[in-house]
């Protein structure tokens, strides 16, 4: 996504947050939030768009379009600046706690003069929030939990933020270098990224370093030299750039991709082979002579290993598998024939059915499911009539897409007992049903396990959506006996989703790997709510790869007839 889109979306989201602190109109606030999501998810760069262009973005009306114009012209939004000035920085700092709403942030500031996160934690421990209206023991627990989540997330960013930044930097530096790419945890597709590592190959590092520090979003140059330069961006993210001679490219890329654990293992193997492997290259241990290794493949070959996909490089058994030549053939985005989870503006999506289907066709998919939310998620106001009307629209639209089979589905809500929204007859009318936990996240492990098992046993539930329901940095995964759930999924022929949303990546990789061993099948979906979200599929694929999935493990790599047989479950 374009950086401008993200920045404008952040500002509009902040506007919504600031308005809710000052007691703004709820309807307006939700409109801003929706617009922020739409702008972040819009596939085209908003910078340079005029009023008419901006208004074509779903959920963006005249008033919001004007604010974005303001951003395009000045780099900020006037109203945001005004509100920032009115609201104490301390209150704004408190609203960063995921479980503390703006109203409560304002209350603790006004009543107790608390203006920072550590102060708030301290006050809770000292019992100073007791007696404050609306703050029970449960609220206190929630706030402490929120502070915990925030600390765990630390300074790390979600993968899409890092990926977009890396893409922009690589595009800017590539013309100056023989090679240029990202390495580090981003190349391994870890779910959060500490800092971005960029690697370039050239005999002339100077101009590359200069171009790097001159990039428009650089706020600080932390360190600069001919080998390595580090900067900090406007969003607070650090980027390390290393420039290496072309003949060391393979070894350097291998080194800076990591992980550290993987590198320790490869270095040991090198030592045993009479070699020395470091960030400077691959050398003969005896003569110290550089062994030219322009590619990673050459490095691994010298070590007697097949090339190891970066997503496996965690010292999680990949070295052992490589030594036996038993690395899995990992699933890729090209293997995916379909997407089984997406939303339109009939519920909380921001694009129309027609637009979402056009985007799916552009991805070259063979089948595509529209799965808007079911009625029990009350905010979405779904009804039987609306759902059936959409089904008609889908059938009509099908005529325009001879190469793309449209599936009409829904995303059901798994209630606390494991039941879902509609009765069996109505459910039978859908081509595919995703079922997800959207409420009662804090059930006990036993209750939650039973809930998932019952959902799997429902013959109309095909895919469990974002199974742990976590939001990275915001909401912990639900507690279940996962092995029990996985056995139920495998036994009933219910797929588990790998949701590609950067703040979900759910199932997480470690659980994917466990589930796979128990015979579970998976569906890698975008859960797209906007046109731009289709691009997120790469993060779902990365997560699936980190869970060692092969194409056969993933039902939406299968031809449609095989998929349809799976969707019939045991009936
Ligand atoms: P991050 O930034 O925390 O998300 O994770 P990484 O893996 O990107 O870590 P980073 O940026 O500190 O270093 C990039 C890679 O460079 C790392 O994956 C492996 C390599 N590396 C860095 N320092 C060391 C080290 O002290 N020993 C070894 N063996 N490798 C290192
Ligand atoms: Ca890094
Ligand atoms: Ca680094
Ligand atoms: Zn969904």
């Amino acid at each position: 996504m374009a950086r401008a889109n993200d920045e404008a979306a952040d500002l509009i989201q902040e506007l919504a947050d600031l308005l809710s602190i000052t007691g703004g109109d709820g309807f307006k606030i939700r409109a801003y939030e929706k617009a922020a999501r739409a702008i972040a998810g819009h596939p085209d760069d908003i910078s340079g768009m005029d009023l008419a262009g901006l208004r074509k973005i779903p959920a963006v009306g005249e008033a919001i379009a004007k604010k974005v114009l303001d951003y395009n012209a000045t780099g900020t939004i006037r109203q945001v600046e005004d509100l920032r000035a009115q609201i104490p920085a301390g209150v704004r700092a408190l609203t960063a706690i995921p479980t503390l709403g703006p109203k409560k942030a304002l209350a603790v500031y006004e009543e107790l003069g608390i203006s920072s996160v550590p102060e708030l934690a301290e006050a809770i421990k000292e019992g100073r929030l007791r007696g404050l209206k609306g703050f029970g023991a449960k609220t206190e627990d929630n706030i402490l939990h929120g502070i915990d989540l925030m600390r765990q997330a630390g300074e790390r960013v979600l993968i899409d933020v890092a990926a977009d930044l890396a893409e922009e930097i690589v595009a800017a530096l590539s013309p100056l270098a023989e090679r240029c790419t990202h390495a580090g945890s981003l190349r391994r597709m870890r779910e959060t990224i500490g800092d971005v590592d960029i690697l370039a190959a050239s005999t002339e590092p100077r101009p590359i370093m200069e171009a790097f520090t001159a990039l428009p979003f650089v706020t600080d140059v932390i360190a600069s030299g001919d080998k390595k330069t580090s900067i900090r961006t406007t969003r607070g993210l650090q980027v390390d750039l290393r420039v290496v001679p072309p003949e060391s490219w393979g070894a350097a890329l291998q080194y800076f991709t990591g992980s550290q654990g993987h590198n320790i293992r490869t270095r040991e193997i090198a030592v045993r082979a009479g070699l020395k492997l470091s960030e400077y290259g691959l050398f003969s241990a005896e003569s110290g002579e550089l062994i030219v290794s322009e590619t990673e493949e050459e490095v691994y070959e010298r070590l007697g290993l097949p090339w190891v996909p970066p997503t496996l490089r965690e010292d999680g058994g990949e070295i052992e598998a490589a030594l036996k030549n038993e690395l899995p053939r990992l699933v890729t985005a090209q293997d995916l024939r379909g997407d089984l989870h997406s939303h339109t503006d009939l519920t909380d999506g921001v694009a129309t059915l027609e637009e979402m289907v056009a985007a799916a066709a552009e991805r070259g998919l063979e089948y595509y499911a529209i799965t808007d939310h079911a009625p029990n998620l009350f905010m979405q106001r779904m009804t039987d009539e609306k759902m059936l009307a959409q089904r008609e629209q889908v059938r009509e639209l099908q005529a325009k897409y001879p190469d793309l089979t449209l599936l009409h589905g829904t995303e059901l809500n798994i209630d606390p007992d494991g039941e879902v929204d509609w009765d069996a007859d109505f459910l039978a009318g859908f081509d595919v049903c995703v079922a997800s936990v959207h409420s009662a996240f804090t059930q006990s492990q036993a209750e939650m396990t039973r809930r998932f098992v019952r959902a799997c046993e429902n013959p109309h539930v095909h895919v469990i959506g974002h199974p742990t329901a976590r939001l990275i940095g915001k909401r912990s995964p639900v507690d279940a006996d996962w092995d029990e759930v996985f056995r139920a999924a495998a036994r009933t022929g219910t797929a588990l989703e790998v949701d590609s949303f950067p703040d979900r990546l759910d199932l997480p990789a470690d659980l994917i790997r466990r589930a796979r061993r128990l015979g579970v099948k998976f569906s890698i979906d975008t859960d797209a709510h906007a046109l731009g979200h289709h691009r997120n599929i790469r993060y779902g694929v990365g997560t699936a790869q980190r869970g060692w999935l092969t194409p056969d493990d993933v039902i939406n790599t299968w031809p449609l007839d095989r998929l349809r047989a799976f969707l019939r479950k045991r009936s």
Side-chain angles (χ1 to χ4, degrees), residues 165 194-197 222 228 230-233 236-240:
L165 179 67
D195 66 20
V196 172
D197 299 283
I222 302 164
K228 176 180 172 186
S230 295
I231 58 102
R232 198 172 293 286
T233 71
L237 191 57
Q238 181 174 325
V239 184
D240 296 336

Side-chain angles (χ1 to χ4, degrees), residues 417-495:
D417 298 322
E419 299 295 323
V420 296
D421 305 63
W422 278 294
D423 63 25
D425 273 353
F426 198 85
L427 290 176
F430 290 105
D431 298 316
V432 58
C433 294
V434 176
S436 316
V437 166
H438 290 127
S439 64
F441 299 108
T442 54
Q443 280 183 317
S444 71
Q445 190 186 83
E447 287 170 325
M448 191 62 82
T449 306
R450 214 174 315 125
R451 183 178 183 182
F452 278 120
V453 171
R454 288 206 63 184
C456 287
E457 285 169 347
N458 187 324
H460 299 288
V461 169
H462 305 115
V463 178
I464 304 290
H466 45 73
T468 78
R470 71 165 174 177
L471 292 175
I472 298 172
K474 293 211 175 90
R475 185 167 68 215
S476 298
V478 297
D479 187 14
D481 178 343
W482 290 112
D483 286 348
E484 192 64 36
V485 174
F486 297 157
R487 276 190 285 269
R491 173 167 50 82
T492 57
T494 311

Side-chain angles (χ1 to χ4, degrees), residues 341 343 373 411 527 529:
H341 187 175
H343 297 269
H373 288 288
E411 180 178 13
D527 189 4
H529 286 65

